[in-house]
Amino acid sequence: MHSKTSPGGDRDAAAQTTREIVELLEVLWSQGRDVTQTAPVSSSQLRVLYALDRNRGINLRTLGEVLSSAPSSVSRMCDRLHALGFIKRSLSSASRRELELRLSSRGESYLRGLRVRRENALLEIITEMTVEDQVALARGLAGFCRAVEGTAPESEEPVGSDVESA
């Protein structure tokens, strides 16, 4: 049970909940990597593939901005992914001096397969949960996404408020 015991009580309870969530996510992340290996790409290269999936036909500079990475690092990752046949480069329709980066059909197929494996692994876990826990998880994740986006309703109770939990 979380209860407010001092002005800092809400913050302390939120910090404790955050630690518990981080530790759980670390365990789940580790298990997920075991079940759904990303080889032959690294996690950084996988971020490139995801970015190209969301932003088709972008140049290297824009990709670097999306990833918050140095151009030289992005360039090396793209070289490796191109060598694997996961991305393709073509002249930009906007500027003949720029290249557009896109997922190749092999890259799209790789991401599709990885997503299916990850979805199946999560589905196995989630189907073991009660319906009530599934609803609570969905509600909690939706609230987390709203908070990240800065669109969380002000009427919701913060973590660690005077709410009893079982």
Side-chain angles (χ1 to χ4, degrees):
M1 170 189 343
H2 295 294
S3 64
K4 194 184 325 185
T5 57
S6 68
D10 286 346
R11 186 160 179 79
D12 292 343
Q16 177 61 33
T17 300
T18 300
R19 282 190 294 276
E20 292 170 3
I21 290 170
V22 167
E23 290 169 6
L24 177 60
L25 288 174
E26 286 173 343
V27 170
L28 291 173
W29 187 258
S30 177
Q31 288 175 349
R33 275 186 279 182
D34 294 343
V35 172
T36 59
Q37 292 292 322
T38 63
V41 300
S42 68
S43 58
S44 296
Q45 292 167 339
L46 186 58
R47 286 184 60 223
V48 170
L49 295 177
Y50 286 143
L52 292 177
D53 189 43
R54 288 187 305 272
N55 304 282
R56 298 176 188 267
I58 63 174
N59 63 29
L60 199 59
R61 179 185 47 78
T62 305
L63 179 59
E65 290 170 4
V66 167
L67 299 173
S68 299
S69 296
S72 58
S73 297
V74 175
S75 181
R76 283 191 302 274
M77 285 188 284
C78 287
D79 289 344
R80 170 80 172 122
L81 291 168
H82 185 260
L84 289 170
F86 285 2
I87 66 172
K88 54 187 175 181
R89 300 170 175 157
S90 58
L91 288 177
S92 169
S93 55
S95 169
R96 296 174 60 85
R97 296 182 349 183
E98 290 183 353
L99 291 177
E100 287 183 344
L101 303 169
R102 298 179 188 279
L103 287 178
S104 66
S105 57
R106 183 173 182 191
E108 290 172 350
S109 176
Y110 169 80
L111 279 183
R112 243 188 335 271
L114 180 63
R115 286 173 172 145
V116 165
R117 289 192 314 274
R118 286 180 169 176
E119 183 178 305
N120 288 338
L122 279 173
L123 188 58
E124 283 184 38
I125 295 167
I126 290 173
T127 57
E128 293 297 317
M129 296 169 61
T130 65
V131 172
E132 294 80 15
D133 287 344
Q134 291 175 18
V135 169
L137 176 63
R139 183 170 184 236
L141 290 173
F144 181 83
C145 289
R146 286 190 304 274
V148 167
E149 295 166 354
T151 60
E154 292 183 30
S155 63
E156 290 188 13
E157 292 285 330
V159 174
S161 63
D162 290 324
V163 177
E164 289 190 23
S165 59

